[in-house]
Amino acid sequence: MLMLIDHANVEAIEKTLDYLPIDGVTTNPTILYREGKEPLDLLRRIRDVLPVGSQIHVQIVSQRADDMVAEAKALRSALSGNLFIKLPVTREGFAAIPRIVKEGMQVTATGIHSSMQGFMAAKAGARYVAPYVNRMDNYGIDGVRVATEIHKTLRSYDMHADVLAASFKNSEQVLELVRQGVGAITAAPDVLAALIKNPATDAAIADQNRDFGFLIGEKRTWLDLVNER
Ligand code: E4P
């Protein structure tokens, strides 16, 4: 399962890369707007702080298929790297998916709020299909269930596409999709941080270290013991 950062703040991305196994970054127009910077320069900075080969997903904003194709080509020429063109699952977006794939680009179908949209986007040629888990929950649709259903459908037809589950607000939503074995998830740095945070872990390690401190002296480590030899 791939883990991506759904954010465009370079400092937050770098801090997350420092301690988590991350496979790339996803952005959308709102995420870029929040940073208030020239977006192409920002995307290049993001690409440059990511390990070589990391995925970077960028969303097309044109409304018509012809314009989406032109926009994708322009983006491709301006942003080298492992770029994924995010296309909304609108009628025009569907029309653009196979055309952009034919141009040799990788597509992530985004804005998915139903199992059928996910299946059809994969059939149209998208490499990733991105169900919006929390947004579906907010509409009274079980987002985890829809993402799981899309995943199972893609696997049962052996399609060359994976779920890239998106729009998370808590780690429980992510955990359920990890259990289901979906191909990828993308989440904001705070949600990713919550995936590994557990107060019981902190308490257990603090107890153990305190005890070792009683033995060798507070704040001392194996390094001190070895250097004193
Ligand atoms: C992912 O590709 C989407 O851009 C994103 O996860 C949407 O999340 P939101 O519901 O926080 O806007």
Side-chain angles (χ1 to χ4, degrees):
M1 175 191 241
L2 302 186
M3 294 267 177
L4 293 98
I5 308 173
D6 202 24
H7 217 274
N9 182 281
V10 175
E11 290 70 35
I13 290 169
E14 283 182 306
K15 278 185 188 157
T16 307
L17 290 171
D18 268 352
Y19 75 105
L20 286 179
I22 293 297
D23 301 289
V25 163
T26 55
T27 63
N28 67 38
T30 301
I31 285 173
L32 292 170
Y33 161 73
R34 283 194 196 119
E35 296 309 308
K37 299 197 162 93
E38 201 290 312
L40 194 51
D41 288 342
L42 181 58
L43 288 171
R44 287 185 177 134
R45 282 196 63 208
I46 292 170
R47 178 204 55 202
D48 291 345
V49 301
L50 286 168
V52 175
S54 300
Q55 296 184 359
I56 181 158
H57 297 241
V58 184
Q59 193 163 322
I60 292 305
V61 293
S62 295
Q63 308 287 310
R64 292 180 52 252
D66 287 349
D67 299 333
M68 288 174 173
V69 175
E71 198 183 336
K73 282 186 186 170
L75 201 50
R76 168 77 287 173
S77 67
L79 188 68
S80 62
N82 194 5
L83 176 67
F84 287 75
I85 300 293
K86 286 177 74 181
L87 289 170
V89 287
T90 57
R91 185 182 172 120
E92 294 290 316
F94 265 101
I97 292 173
R99 293 175 59 185
I100 290 174
V101 170
K102 208 170 164 191
E103 292 290 339
M105 287 177 270
Q106 316 177 89
V107 168
T108 297
T110 195
I112 291 173
H113 287 75
S114 76
S115 301
M116 208 63 228
Q117 285 178 323
F119 170 73
M120 292 301 282
K123 185 167 164 50
R127 175 65 186 87
Y128 288 103
V129 299
Y132 281 11
V133 174
N134 196 70
R135 285 187 185 242
M136 281 188 267
D137 286 353
N138 290 344
Y139 285 116
I141 307 162
D142 184 341
V144 165
R145 186 190 58 74
V146 171
T148 302
E149 194 169 87
I150 297 170
H151 167 68
K152 289 187 174 155
T153 308
L154 299 183
R155 292 292 70 84
S156 70
Y157 283 103
D158 201 19
M159 297 172 98
H160 185 58
D162 280 300
V163 165
L164 166 52
S167 177
F168 291 103
K169 288 298 164 279
N170 62 65
S171 55
E172 196 53 36
Q173 293 165 326
V174 178
L175 173 62
E176 188 49 37
L177 292 173
V178 171
R179 283 194 195 108
Q180 298 298 337
V182 304
I185 66 104
T186 185
D190 60 332
V191 174
L192 293 171
L195 299 182
I196 61 159
K197 182 78 186 152
N198 192 315
T201 300
D202 298 341
I205 301 303
D207 285 351
Q208 292 168 348
N209 288 344
R210 182 205 55 218
D211 290 344
F212 201 54
F214 292 150
L215 179 66
I216 68 164
E218 208 186 340
K219 301 240 187 296
R220 282 159 49 83
T221 70
W222 290 105
L223 186 63
D224 299 301
L225 294 180
V226 170
N227 286 342
E228 284 162 11
R229 289 228 152 198

